[in-house]
Amino acid sequence: MDRTTLCHALHPDCPIRNVLARIGDKWSLLVIFTLDRMPAARFGELLRALPDISQKMLTVTLRTLEEDGLVDRTVYPEIPPRVEYRLTHRAQSLLPHLNALIAWACEHMEAILEDRKAARKIR
């Protein structure tokens, strides 16, 4: 059983557990942040923009975001087929909160890293 299934089984009506189980992974917020910088992106563009993500993880992340209505996937009937990804209105409504989190992280990162270093010395 994966972590999202377990979360839903134990607390199916808890919105924070439900949503964070899906977007709180290593890649989802980074993909949303990256798509915000592009009006529409193809898979290869996203892969280049996130060089440390594997093709498989990008595929899984995009599918999950699409299932949750955060990413729109458009397939154009061309040969070869062209697929583009873009943020939905729902994802765009998340951006102010994501940008606030990024600003908070930038503001406090140095102090957090110092606290981590101090905590390691104590152990």
Side-chain angles (χ1 to χ4, degrees):
M1 181 180 297
D2 67 23
R3 65 183 170 80
T4 55
T5 304
L6 180 62
C7 175
H8 297 321
L10 295 176
H11 306 281
D13 298 325
C14 179
I16 192 71
R17 288 177 190 262
N18 191 300
V19 171
L20 284 181
R22 295 298 285 248
I23 65 168
D25 62 18
K26 183 176 180 178
W27 298 109
S28 293
L29 291 178
L30 289 171
V31 169
I32 291 169
F33 177 79
T34 302
L35 280 171
D36 180 42
R37 303 298 184 254
M38 309 171 170
R42 295 180 72 175
F43 187 87
E45 292 173 311
L46 287 170
L47 205 54
R48 283 188 294 279
L50 298 163
D52 46 346
I53 192 172
S54 69
Q55 287 185 353
K56 179 178 177 164
M57 260 335 288
L58 181 56
T59 299
V60 168
T61 301
L62 287 168
R63 283 184 186 154
T64 300
L65 293 172
E66 186 180 3
E67 285 175 10
D68 287 349
L70 297 170
V71 168
D72 183 38
R73 179 178 183 265
T74 305
V75 180
Y76 295 93
E78 302 171 354
I79 297 183
R82 179 170 50 107
V83 179
E84 290 183 343
Y85 299 90
R86 61 181 45 82
L87 295 179
T88 64
H89 292 295
R90 182 176 300 147
Q92 290 170 356
S93 73
L94 176 62
L95 291 173
H97 308 287
L98 177 55
N99 288 330
L101 179 61
I102 291 166
W104 181 89
C106 289
E107 180 181 342
H108 296 282
M109 185 172 155
E110 189 175 317
I112 291 170
L113 293 176
E114 288 174 14
D115 289 343
R116 286 179 186 170
K117 188 185 291 184
R120 276 190 232 114
K121 288 181 182 177
I122 294 171
R123 291 182 192 158

